């Protein structure tokens, strides 16, 4: 009886053990290690990194060592201080036109999904405050500051990134060019937030002084990108990247060629609620240049940027969508606020005001069949012609519900057409020397227009030029803007424009 019981117990035990092995995948398939969920601390003190460092009692010395030993999913908390020293790493997969050595240099190289946060102190590893306790990664002009590579989703937050220079590091689709002075992101879905990216350079045949994204649908939010320099994209350059940028400040960056603040190349990016100001491009797009980019720009403020063409924005072959943006106080030779070049863009609810140009104070359209809806074009200035809009050379835009008022300078024309065909519907066109000037080779069709005749807002002449002008449903009277001196061109209840619009 005892023997039977023993055999039964052994049999049951063996059966349970076999069942457990089967559930776990069998004895020849050990369980995979789980992603890390711990915290690694870095204090930047002098000395050598110790294996297994990272606790509050024994922090790591360098950010790179902490990244190298971290498991995917772990967080690296970096104390205030300045972290320098670049090291070489082999170029990542897909890296275009690498240097002959196949090595790239940077302060930090990330190839796994980890989180790096700055702004801590050695007495407070819980609550970061990067403003009071900045954590600075400084490449000191010896390479990039940071490279993020591969199909990973890391987070970088609360760092100051400076002193980067990508000279000789390649990474461009064009041989001999170098990309991303401060940060280079390739094939990654990174989250870059609340960082300062400043005083990086990439001026020797380079793009993206501050940041360069290569085919990376990353998210950038709450960052300040300032005082960076490059040939194209002084602040940022996006290459085939459907990135999302929100709440960033892009300011005082310089491009020796195009895209002082940002340059988008074949990128369906989304830009929302960003401030883009005081950037300079020697040629095109002081604030932004869109190149073959069907991007979406919403609720951005773009002001005080400078370029030869398109002080605020320059669009080339870009069916972009712009809505709710304010474009003001920008300066250019052509297109103070915006220049649309071969671009079937769609603009809705934008305000273009107080911009200055030699020609096309507010907007300059060149071979562009764009659509503009609910656009306010006011208080711009042109030195020669088209103080509000200059529409040139086979452009065929459609303007709906547009207010064009009080633009000055040059020949005094609020709108000037040259070799173009334009349709304006439900338009307030007031307070110019000439409301619209139509050259002999152009045609304009105006349906439902308030000219403000007999009021202080009246044009000296409503129309001019030898072209074809078709009008229907013309109105006079006071537009009764709510507060134009404060930039509020909404119409009050007593406006002569109320209930005068036609079905558009």
């Amino acid at each position: 009886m005892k023997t039977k019981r023993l055999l039964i117990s052994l049999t049951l035990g063996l059966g349970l053990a076999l069942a457990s092995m089967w559930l776990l995948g069998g004895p020849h398939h050990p369980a995979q290690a789980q992603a890390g969920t711990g915290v690694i601390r870095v204090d930047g003190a002098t000395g050598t990194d110790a294996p297994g460092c990272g606790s509050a009692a024994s922090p790591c010395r360098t950010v790179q060592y902490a990244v190298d030993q971290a498991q995917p999913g772990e967080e690296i908390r970096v104390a205030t201080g300045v972290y320098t020293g670049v090291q070489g790493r082999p170029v990542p997969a897909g890296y275009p036109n690498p240097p002959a050595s196949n090595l790239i240099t940077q302060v930090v190289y990330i190839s796994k999904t980890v989180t790096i946060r700055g702004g801590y102190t050695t007495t407070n590893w819980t609550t970061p405050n990067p403003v009071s306790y900045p954590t600075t990664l400084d490449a000191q002009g010896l390479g990039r500051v940071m490279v993020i590579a591969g199909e990973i989703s890391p987070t970088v937050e609360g760092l100051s990134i400076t002193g980067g220079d990508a000279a000789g590091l390649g990474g461009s689709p064009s041989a001999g060019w170098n990309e991303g002075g401060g940060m280079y992101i390739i094939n990654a879905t990174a989250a870059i937030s609340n960082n300062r990216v400043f005083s990086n350079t990439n001026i020797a045949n380079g793009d993206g002084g501050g940041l360069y994204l290569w085919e990376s649908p990353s998210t950038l939010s709450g960052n300040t990108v300032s005082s960076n320099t490059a040939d194209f994209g002084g602040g940022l350059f996006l290459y085939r990247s459907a990135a999302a940028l929100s709440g960033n400040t892009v300011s005082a960056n310089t491009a020796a060629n195009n895209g002082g603040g940002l340059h988008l190349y074949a990128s369906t990016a989304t830009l929302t609620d960003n401030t883009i100001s005081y950037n300079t491009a020697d040629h095109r797009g002081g604030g932004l240049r869109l190149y073959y980019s069907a991007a979406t720009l919403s609720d951005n403020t773009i002001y005080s940027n400078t370029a030869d063409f398109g002080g605020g924005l320059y669009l080339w072959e870009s069916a972009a969508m712009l809505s709710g943006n304010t474009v003001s106080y920008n300066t250019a030779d052509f297109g103070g606020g915006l220049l649309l070049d071969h671009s079937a863009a769609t603009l809705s609810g934008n305000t273009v005001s107080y911009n200055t140009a030699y020609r096309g104070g507010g907007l300059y359209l060149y071979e562009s069949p764009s659509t503009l809806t609910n656009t306010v074009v006011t208080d711009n200035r042109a030195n020669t012609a088209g103080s509000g809009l200059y529409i040139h050379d086979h452009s065929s835009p459609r303007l709906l519900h547009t207010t064009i008022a009080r633009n000055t300078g040059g020949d005094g024309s609020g709108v000037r057409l040259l070799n173009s065909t334009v349709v304006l519907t439900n338009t307030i066109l007031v307070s110019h020397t000439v409301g619209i000037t139509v050259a002999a080779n152009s045609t304009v069709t105006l349906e439902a227009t308030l000219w403000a005749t007999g009021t202080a807002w009246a044009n000296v002449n409503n129309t001019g030029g030898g072209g074809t002008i078709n009008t229907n449903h013309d109105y006079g009277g006071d537009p009764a803007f709510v507060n134009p001196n404060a930039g509020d061109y909404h119409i009050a209840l007593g406006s002569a424009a109320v209930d005068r619009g036609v079905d558009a």
Side-chain angles (χ1 to χ4, degrees), residues 303-371:
Y303 70 93
S304 297
N305 302 284
T306 304
D308 287 344
F309 301 88
L313 301 96
Y314 184 102
L315 277 63
W316 166 263
E317 288 279 5
S318 293
M321 298 182 66
L322 283 69
S323 63
N325 303 285
T326 299
V327 182
S328 60
Y329 297 102
N330 301 285
T331 304
D333 289 337
F334 299 89
L338 302 91
L339 195 152
L340 309 182
D341 192 345
H342 293 78
S343 291
T346 301
L347 285 71
S348 176
N350 300 283
T351 297
V352 183
S353 61
Y354 298 103
N355 302 284
T356 302
Y358 175 78
R359 187 172 294 163
L363 299 96
Y364 190 110
L365 276 65
Y366 183 85
E367 292 195 26
S368 291
S370 301
T371 300

Side-chain angles (χ1 to χ4, degrees), residues 85-382:
V86 299
Q87 54 267 308
R89 290 290 172 97
V91 297
Y95 189 91
N97 289 305
S101 65
N102 274 326
L103 295 176
I104 52 176
T105 55
Q106 55 281 313
V107 177
V108 179
Y109 182 97
I110 302 172
S111 59
K112 61 185 73 171
T113 298
V114 294
T115 295
I116 301 179
R117 287 195 174 93
Y120 295 94
T121 69
T122 55
T123 58
N124 182 358
W125 292 105
T126 304
T127 307
N129 186 342
V131 175
S132 299
Y133 304 106
T135 298
T136 303
L137 307 184
D138 187 352
Q140 299 179 316
L142 301 175
R144 298 187 180 105
V145 180
M146 183 175 289
V147 170
I148 298 174
E151 295 182 3
I152 56 174
S153 302
T155 297
V156 177
E157 183 177 311
L159 301 177
S160 294
I161 294 172
T162 191
D165 189 338
L169 297 179
S172 170
S174 301
W177 283 74
N178 311 291
E179 313 294 29
M183 182 181 292
Y184 183 92
I185 303 174
I186 178 169
N187 299 328
T189 308
I192 312 297
S193 62
N194 300 317
N195 301 284
R196 291 181 63 229
V197 182
F198 66 97
S199 299
N200 301 282
T201 186
N202 200 17
I203 201 64
N205 292 341
D207 303 323
L211 299 96
Y212 183 95
L213 276 64
W214 170 283
E215 296 186 354
S216 293
S218 297
T219 300
L220 283 70
S221 60
N223 302 286
T224 298
V225 182
S226 62
S227 302
N228 302 284
T229 306
D231 286 299
F232 293 81
L236 304 95
F237 192 106
L238 276 60
Y239 179 85
R240 300 187 186 277
S241 292
L245 284 70
S246 64
N248 302 285
T249 297
V250 181
S251 180
N253 301 284
T254 302
N257 284 290
N258 302 327
L262 299 94
H263 193 292
L264 275 61
Y265 181 101
S267 292
T268 55
T270 301
L271 282 69
T272 307
D273 197 28
N274 301 283
T275 298
I276 302 166
S277 61
Y278 298 105
N279 301 285
T280 302
D282 283 357
H283 296 301
R284 296 172 178 85
L288 302 93
R289 187 195 188 206
L290 276 62
Y291 185 83
Y292 291 105
S293 291
T296 300
L297 282 68
S298 303
D299 302 318
N300 301 284
T301 301
I302 302 165
Y303 70 93
S304 297
N305 302 284
T306 304
D308 287 344
F309 301 88
L313 301 96
Y314 184 102
L315 277 63
W316 166 263
E317 288 279 5
S318 293
M321 298 182 66
L322 283 69
S323 63
N325 303 285
T326 299
V327 182
S328 60
Y329 297 102
N330 301 285
T331 304
D333 289 337
F334 299 89
L338 302 91
L339 195 152
L340 309 182
D341 192 345
H342 293 78
S343 291
T346 301
L347 285 71
S348 176
N350 300 283
T351 297
V352 183
S353 61
Y354 298 103
N355 302 284
T356 302
Y358 175 78
R359 187 172 294 163
L363 299 96
Y364 190 110
L365 276 65
Y366 183 85
E367 292 195 26
S368 291
S370 301
T371 300
L372 287 73
T373 306
N374 292 328
T375 308
V376 175
V377 184
T378 60
D379 301 288
N380 300 284
R381 179 177 178 81

Side-chain angles (χ1 to χ4, degrees), residues 16-103:
L16 289 172
L18 291 171
S20 298
M21 289 182 181
W22 179 80
L23 289 171
L24 293 173
H28 301 294
H29 303 283
Q32 299 296 313
Q34 294 182 353
T37 57
V39 173
I40 299 174
R41 298 160 183 83
V42 181
D43 67 358
T46 57
T48 303
D49 284 298
C53 66
S55 67
S58 179
C60 296
R61 304 309 188 200
T62 65
V63 180
Q64 185 65 71
Y65 187 86
V67 171
D68 289 344
Q69 75 169 10
Q71 295 296 315
E74 288 194 315
E75 180 180 347
I76 299 163
R77 298 181 182 178
V78 189
T80 185
V82 179
Y83 296 78
T84 60
V86 299
Q87 54 267 308
R89 290 290 172 97
V91 297
Y95 189 91
N97 289 305
S101 65
N102 274 326
L103 295 176

Side-chain angles (χ1 to χ4, degrees), residues 364-452:
Y364 190 110
L365 276 65
Y366 183 85
E367 292 195 26
S368 291
S370 301
T371 300
L372 287 73
T373 306
N374 292 328
T375 308
V376 175
V377 184
T378 60
D379 301 288
N380 300 284
R381 179 177 178 81
N383 293 335
T384 58
S387 53
L389 298 96
Y390 193 96
I391 303 173
H392 182 211
D393 207 4
H394 305 291
S395 288
S396 54
R398 177 82 186 274
L399 282 70
L400 309 170
H401 322 303
T402 310
T403 297
I404 306 168
R406 210 161 58 176
N407 301 286
T408 60
D411 64 2
S413 56
V415 182
R416 184 174 180 89
L417 274 63
L418 181 64
N419 196 25
S420 295
T421 301
V422 181
V423 177
L424 293 92
T425 305
N426 298 339
T427 308
I428 299 176
L429 185 49
V430 298
S431 197
H432 304 97
T433 303
V434 182
I436 184 167
T437 299
V438 183
N441 53 359
S442 297
T443 299
V444 64
T445 299
L446 294 129
E447 179 75 19
T449 308
L450 177 65
W451 300 103

